[in-house]
Amino acid sequence: MSVARGQSQLDAPVDLAPVQPHTSLESVMFDLILKFLQTPGQVLLVQGPPGSGKTTFALEILNSLEETHKIYASSRVAPARLRQHFPWIDEVIDTMSGRTARASWIDELHDLRRVEPDTIFNQVLRLKHSKQRAVLVVDSWEGAIRNTNDEGRKMLESAVLSELDESKVSVVIVVEDSKKAGDLGYLVDGIVTLDQSELDGRRVRTIAINKLRGFSVPTKRGIFSLDKARFTILPNGLRQPGINAHPKPLEPIPHPPHAFSLGSKDMDQMLGGSIPRGAFLLIDVDSSVSPLEIRTILNMMRANFINQKGPCVIVPTAAYSSDTVAESLSKYVGWEAIEERVRILEYNQSLAPKKWRLVMKSNLSDDVKTFAHAWDELAKISPHRMLDINVDKAVQVYGRDELSVPGLTELGANMRDTEGLNIAIASIDSKLRDQWLSVVDYHLKIKNADGSLVIYGVKPFTPLYGVDLNFDKGYPVLNLMQIV
């Protein structure tokens, strides 16, 4: 099946056991690159330093295309090495000849280190003359022309880059050094750059679309992972933000004995499996993260606790009123649970009284008593309570210097002794944040990096993870992918 130039047709990914198919972390960036290559005649240049993931990216392109003759020409990775690092292609590789028979996703593999340049030239011509829809990956261009003179390089360049529209062939050219690629950057239709850097001592992999001729590129940069030897671009922020047309009560992840789940199996696993009772967790949130994303994460944690009969006290951020917090949370726990075992602090004394609303006076000594009374009342439901406090809001109301009073310290000790779940959210430096930081058992950071939400642990130290927030089940679900 052929696709005329300018059409946008996306083939479904191929399932290749035993490797799991792509998760919901799939990105429109990769889909756009596939659509670009499904238009015959396109040439994509993939550049980046050694170890940036270019080979995995090229293999993932082949893995994700259907009904296309696929040729992988490698001058850098022998078939045996490919089998070692990509076990999901075992069945299609002939270990004796370096070639394969027709198979589910790779039809031919040529090891250019054992093939003369003129043979490569003839192979490319044969492919073009076949008039068969095909994708050719040359990995790498430097290796393909290493033993050729200027005339041979020009012949190979002409064979690969000319008359592709008529031949129904698209080409992916991998280069290690863009400076040595000559004029390729001007001759190709698209350029993708892969790179890697560090974020607080953790590896970050980035992909940038420099150009895709004839295609509108809404997102030019993103983060990707090579987890499980698959190339996966992370989503850009909260998928379908604010859209939850059919909310459902959250199905909780059961708490282990003497511990709590945070409502995400992946987040639990990142922190060692669960949070012990009485533990303190501080989450530092970068200013690049939207309040909607944080509210979604907190609602997941809150609902998971509340739907297991746990009482919860919430000190919300200044971005949302108590009404907004209650309304958003009620979708996943129900109003009956809100009334019975949720208390939300509110500093606007003009709002109508509600059983779940704790109206505060903005006077610390009085408000500590009000809070302590509500906290003790909830103990009649369960001694294991959840405190969700926005540190910035407390500092905004009471000031930076008034929050070191002995009563607050005693209250903190009481919350630990009652074996509850204590979560603090902070975005700015303050004495109160420093107080929490000095006693916390867990310390996480959440940031927006190149348009994607990422999270990592400071205490304990963890790798960097990409965050996928979605409402596929009708309530907030958080999945993580390690950046490797």
Side-chain angles (χ1 to χ4, degrees):
M1 182 179 68
S2 62
V3 181
R5 178 178 287 276
Q7 285 184 325
S8 297
Q9 178 166 337
L10 176 62
D11 293 334
V14 182
D15 260 343
L16 295 171
V19 172
Q20 296 296 319
H22 276 296
T23 68
S24 58
L25 290 167
E26 194 66 71
S27 169
V28 294
M29 287 184 71
F30 191 73
D31 293 346
L32 184 64
I33 292 169
L34 293 182
K35 291 179 180 179
F36 171 81
L37 289 172
Q38 285 169 334
T39 302
Q42 303 282 36
V43 181
L44 178 69
L45 184 69
V46 180
Q47 59 187 9
S52 57
K54 300 184 297 298
T55 293
T56 307
F57 178 61
L59 288 169
E60 195 67 42
I61 288 175
L62 293 180
N63 182 22
S64 302
L65 293 171
E66 280 186 335
E67 301 182 30
T68 302
H69 189 73
K70 307 172 182 73
I71 298 178
Y72 187 92
S74 173
S75 63
R76 302 192 303 126
V77 185
R81 291 287 300 280
L82 283 171
R83 287 203 328 276
Q84 177 184 355
H85 294 289
F86 305 94
W88 39 282
I89 62 175
D90 276 352
E91 62 181 8
V92 299
I93 293 184
D94 182 337
T95 61
M96 297 298 295
S97 66
R99 296 175 59 87
T100 69
R102 300 184 66 83
S104 58
W105 71 276
I106 292 184
D107 295 324
E108 296 186 17
L109 186 145
H110 306 287
D111 186 350
L112 299 190
R113 294 170 300 183
R114 298 199 296 242
V115 181
E116 294 300 321
D118 62 333
T119 307
I120 304 169
F121 176 78
N122 290 331
Q123 289 172 342
V124 172
L125 292 181
R126 175 180 56 81
L127 174 65
K128 293 172 67 173
H129 292 159
S130 69
K131 301 295 184 179
Q132 182 179 8
R133 183 186 178 200
V135 174
L136 167 66
V137 173
V138 180
D139 182 11
S140 67
W141 183 255
E142 293 93 332
I145 63 174
R146 182 175 297 130
N147 297 322
T148 64
N149 54 27
D150 284 345
E151 183 179 357
R153 180 185 60 79
K154 291 178 181 179
M155 289 178 61
L156 183 58
E157 191 174 279
S158 175
V160 172
L161 298 176
S162 65
E163 300 178 352
L164 292 174
D165 289 355
E166 295 79 1
S167 66
K168 301 181 181 180
V169 176
S170 293
V171 180
V172 177
I173 299 177
V174 177
V175 299
E176 287 283 351
D177 188 345
S178 57
K179 295 180 180 179
K180 296 181 180 180
D183 296 330
L184 282 180
Y186 298 99
L187 300 175
V188 300
D189 304 290
I191 300 177
V192 170
T193 302
L194 307 184
D195 205 354
Q196 55 183 337
S197 58
E198 286 192 357
L199 175 63
D200 289 349
R202 296 157 178 85
R203 190 210 308 266
V204 181
R205 295 185 181 273
T206 57
I207 177 172
I209 298 179
N210 304 96
K211 73 172 181 177
L212 287 182
R213 187 173 296 154
F215 283 74
S216 174
V217 183
T219 303
K220 296 184 181 296
R221 288 182 61 86
I223 293 179
F224 69 91
S225 175
L226 301 182
D227 191 34
K228 298 180 177 65
R230 301 297 297 269
F231 188 100
T232 306
I233 304 176
L234 304 185
N236 287 86
L238 182 64
R239 194 150 51 87
Q240 297 180 338
I243 299 175
N244 191 5
H246 305 288
K248 297 179 182 178
L250 183 142
E251 297 179 9
I253 299 174
H255 299 312
H258 310 293
F260 297 114
S261 167
L262 293 177
S264 164
K265 292 181 180 179
D266 287 354
M267 185 174 288
D268 292 343
Q269 189 64 35
M270 180 181 69
L271 296 178
S274 59
I275 301 291
R277 290 179 182 175
F280 278 65
L281 167 64
L282 173 64
I283 304 177
D284 274 325
V285 180
D286 190 75
S287 60
S288 61
V289 181
S290 74
L292 177 59
E293 290 169 320
I294 292 303
R295 190 182 75 178
T296 303
I297 294 174
L298 289 175
N299 274 344
M300 175 196 70
M301 296 178 179
R302 297 161 177 163
N304 191 75
F305 194 89
I306 295 166
N307 286 351
Q308 296 183 71
K309 307 302 181 183
C312 178
V313 177
I314 301 172
V315 183
T317 175
Y320 296 110
S321 68
S322 57
D323 282 326
T324 302
V325 174
E327 178 68 30
S328 65
L329 183 57
S330 68
K331 299 175 183 178
Y332 313 119
V333 303
W335 279 109
E336 183 178 349
I338 296 286
E339 293 280 344
E340 178 189 8
R341 53 186 181 274
V342 176
R343 299 294 179 264
I344 306 174
L345 274 62
E346 176 58 69
Y347 293 90
N348 183 353
Q349 300 181 33
S350 65
L351 295 180
K354 298 286 185 180
K355 183 178 180 181
W356 49 263
R357 183 164 21 228
L358 287 180
V359 179
M360 314 302 279
K361 298 180 180 179
S362 300
N363 178 284
L364 185 59
S365 59
D366 290 337
D367 290 348
V368 166
K369 294 176 183 178
T370 302
F371 174 88
H373 177 74
W375 186 254
D376 292 340
E377 284 293 310
L378 291 175
K380 298 175 182 179
I381 300 174
S382 171
H384 308 302
R385 292 149 286 176
M386 175 180 176
L387 172 64
D388 165 14
I389 176 173
N390 185 277
V391 175
D392 301 342
K393 178 64 174 180
V395 172
Q396 177 189 29
V397 173
Y398 302 112
R400 292 177 177 269
D401 300 322
E402 296 185 31
L403 291 166
S404 301
V405 297
L408 196 64
T409 304
E410 293 173 5
L411 189 61
N414 174 263
M415 288 184 290
R416 187 182 288 277
D417 291 342
T418 55
E419 297 187 334
L421 175 59
N422 308 292
I423 300 176
I425 307 295
S427 297
I428 60 176
D429 290 331
S430 64
K431 288 185 177 180
L432 183 57
R433 175 193 172 276
D434 292 342
Q435 280 185 308
W436 273 83
L437 193 57
S438 66
V439 299
V440 295
D441 306 282
Y442 299 90
H443 181 199
L444 301 180
K445 289 191 176 183
I446 299 179
K447 296 184 177 182
N448 187 303
D450 288 303
S452 296
L453 203 61
V454 297
I455 186 171
Y456 56 95
V458 178
K459 183 194 294 185
F461 183 94
T462 73
L464 187 71
Y465 291 87
V467 178
D468 174 37
L469 279 170
N470 63 82
F471 298 101
D472 292 346
K473 295 183 178 181
Y475 51 81
V477 175
L478 185 150
N479 298 313
L480 299 179
M481 172 170 285
Q482 183 176 339
I483 307 300
V484 297

